[in-house]
Amino acid sequence: MNGSTPPQLPLRSPKVMLIGAGMTGILMTIKLREAGITDITILEKKESLGGTWRENTYPGLACDVPSHMYTYSFEPNPEWSHLCAYGSEIREYFERVGRKYGVTEKILFNEAVTRSIYGKGQWTVTSSKGNTYVADFIINCTGILHHPAKPDIKGIETFGGDMFHTAEWNHTVDLTGKRVGVIGTGSTAAQVIPEVAKAAGKLSVFQRTPQWIFPWANKTVSEKSKKKLRDNPNRVRRLRGLYVWMMANLLTKATAGHQPQRAILSAVCQLNLKLSIKDKSLRKKLTPDYAVGCKRLIVNKTFYKAVQRNNVDLVTEGIAEITPKGIKTRDGKEHELDALVLSTGFHNFNFMRPMDMRGKGGLKIDDAWSKKVQAYRSMFLPNFPNSFLMLGPNSPIGNYSVIAMSEVQCAYILKIIGHWQQGEFDEIDVKPSAFKSFNEYLKAGMSKTVWVGGCQSWYLDDDGDPALWPYTWQQWEKEMKEPKMADFITEKFPPKTEKTTKKNEVSAAA
Ligand code: NAP
């Protein structure tokens, strides 16, 4: 033995296709590059980056987790103007990060993926511009809540005034002095309603189900505080650590069924309702009949004030139909409206669709998910090898920071790609048995969660199974730390011959 180590083969360099340039697409690009992976194509369907923070522009739009927690861990921002920053500021943050890390200049804007087809270790991706790309991996960074759900209410198409969904806010419509209706009282509505109430002559809020509200005033950060944070980066880190600790140990533990945390949340929300709403009959209308946290907890300090304004009417009678003049409720009353805002949420099970994605054997994503939208560890689907989904089914969304979740997923994906770079495989697919047992594990966690607390929400699917992570944040971090390679089927293909290379090599037509 001469003691010399065998020569190291150079790492393979994958072609990676990123679909979407929102928060997860920007993150993934930065982290892939840090790992030395540079052959990255980023397709973005719209004209700018930012995802949900580009799409949503409704008045009152803000983050509802503390901003120092809603930042990339590697890019703290001492400049946040409020405890929970407003939408435009968050969008600017992502634009700044995109520029700083040279992501923006690499994005192919106004180019949507229309189809992606898998074949032997590679994906062939077609775009709305008719271009074709080949990639060893595709990473769907397409977000969750981006397909507005418009209510299927009788007569909706007959409404004679202005009508739009909160995610498609029509800024050409001036609501000043108008008779405005808002359907919905979820997290978005709680932010929209106080703003619309200030402008409207009369605002009718159509509430189907009351919500629990955790009181959290969106305080302005003083220049003095910002300077302290700017001068001492450790302060920002400590602040972030504090919020992470609070959210992980109070909110996610409460939803996962930990009793002391649930009791605290319940007490605070009940007290908030009692102290905020003096009128007993209004309080009754606003009192939910399900456990706190069953629906997404609203974090807000302005909604209760808004519904007590003289120009605001909280309508709890069910909607019978929408008429050319307004909304008719089941008691026969017609609420005349000049404008109607649909704050009715999103189709949260769409993920990367309507993209035509076809895995092994031509399996279509719509067929794979026809009965149930599930994944293995939120990121993988059997028969869709070499493809990952950021913030997929059962990501622990809730009231936690989606950025923190994405960073965990990103690290996991890089580890998988790292094995490919070492030449261990050309194709990686999750075993159906691992997919099944992971989803059984999720179901098993469900019974203890607060989501079975007697409500209906987007947190549950049609079978009553969780759309979110039913355990704690700590459990998520633990489970997602290392890929269990035994849960995957991997394959190596013989090197391509000249002929097959030519056949498969489809370069960008751009
Ligand atoms: P949502 O939570 O799904 O709420 C939709 C609202 O519309 C509910 O009040 C629902 O009533 C009502 N609704 C739906 N269809 C209706 C119909 N046909 N008739 C009457 N009412 C109807 O949607 P969202 O408020 O847009 O929030 C969605 C998610 O976006 C949140 O859970 C959160 O994850 C995210 N979000 C985040 C922030 C942030 O700052 N980070 C801000 C806003 C939103 P029911 O309750 O009876 O179904």
Side-chain angles (χ1 to χ4, degrees), residues 185-396:
T185 48
S187 301
T188 304
Q191 295 180 340
V192 160
I193 286 165
E195 295 306 309
V196 173
K198 285 182 207 161
K202 176 156 193 243
L203 171 62
S204 305
V205 175
F206 296 88
Q207 172 190 276
R208 187 165 66 182
T209 316
Q211 298 262 11
W212 287 113
I213 300 182
F214 187 88
W216 198 327
N218 197 7
K219 293 240 163 64
T220 310
V221 182
S222 68
E223 282 309 314
K224 202 171 147 200
S225 301
K226 278 196 239 172
K227 186 175 179 317
K228 278 187 187 162
L229 295 173
R230 219 176 284 138
D231 291 349
N232 185 353
N234 275 335
R235 271 180 188 260
V236 189
R237 267 192 286 278
R238 279 202 299 271
L239 205 52
R240 178 189 174 87
L242 173 73
Y243 292 135
V244 167
W245 184 88
M246 274 169 57
M247 300 300 259
N249 289 300
L250 181 61
L251 273 169
T252 71
K253 284 199 173 168
T255 49
H258 291 229
Q259 280 314 325
Q261 287 86 343
R262 277 180 73 167
I264 293 169
L265 274 191
S266 278
V268 173
C269 292
Q270 285 174 32
L271 195 65
N272 182 35
L273 177 61
K274 197 169 176 187
L275 296 180
S276 306
I277 306 288
K278 302 285 173 230
D279 181 283
K280 279 193 181 156
S281 72
L282 181 63
R283 197 189 306 153
K284 195 161 172 240
K285 285 180 174 182
L286 288 164
T287 306
D289 61 357
Y290 54 82
V292 172
C294 183
K295 280 174 180 285
R296 187 180 198 265
L297 188 61
I298 294 181
V299 178
N300 178 288
K301 195 77 174 122
T302 51
F303 175 79
Y304 283 153
K305 275 191 197 132
V307 293
Q308 292 175 94
R309 287 174 65 114
N310 290 336
N311 66 335
V312 177
D313 184 18
L314 183 75
V315 183
T316 53
E317 193 66 40
I319 298 174
E321 63 177 307
I322 297 180
T323 68
K325 283 190 188 162
I327 288 186
K328 199 178 265 185
T329 41
R330 290 206 196 106
D331 54 4
K333 186 171 173 192
E334 186 152 25
H335 305 259
E336 292 196 2
L337 303 170
D338 304 308
L340 180 55
V341 176
L342 308 173
S343 188
T344 42
F346 299 86
H347 295 291
N348 60 301
F349 287 110
N350 280 17
F351 293 103
M352 74 287 268
R353 295 176 287 175
M355 186 204 307
D356 178 8
M357 191 178 177
R358 299 183 191 197
K360 273 183 159 174
L363 177 65
K364 293 182 182 171
I365 184 72
D366 286 346
D367 292 334
W369 274 347
S370 63
K371 293 202 180 80
K372 214 163 171 61
V373 175
Q374 290 179 319
Y376 166 80
R377 293 177 180 258
S378 309
M379 291 175 271
F380 304 86
L381 256 158
N383 295 310
F384 289 82
N386 296 21
S387 115
F388 309 104
L389 179 54
M390 292 293 281
L391 295 179
N394 303 103
S395 295

Side-chain angles (χ1 to χ4, degrees), residues 51 68 76 80 118 132 134 136 147 149 166 197 237 254 285 296 299 303 326 328 372 411 453 456 498:
H68 285 292
W80 291 122
Y118 182 74
T132 306
V134 167
D136 300 303
H147 292 281
T166 48
R237 267 192 286 278
K285 285 180 174 182
R296 187 180 198 265
V299 178
F303 175 79
K328 199 178 265 185
K372 214 163 171 61
Q456 175 277 327
E498 192 56 27

Side-chain angles (χ1 to χ4, degrees), residues 138-158:
I138 54 174
I139 309 180
N140 292 289
C141 300
T142 40
I144 323 160
L145 302 167
H146 55 113
H147 292 281
K150 295 177 187 161
D152 187 16
I153 299 173
K154 186 181 158 200
I156 188 161
E157 69 293 346
T158 68

Side-chain angles (χ1 to χ4, degrees), residues 121-139:
Q122 284 194 317
W123 285 89
T124 302
V125 175
T126 314
S127 80
S128 54
K129 288 193 174 167
N131 295 329
T132 306
Y133 304 87
V134 167
D136 300 303
F137 292 98
I138 54 174
I139 309 180

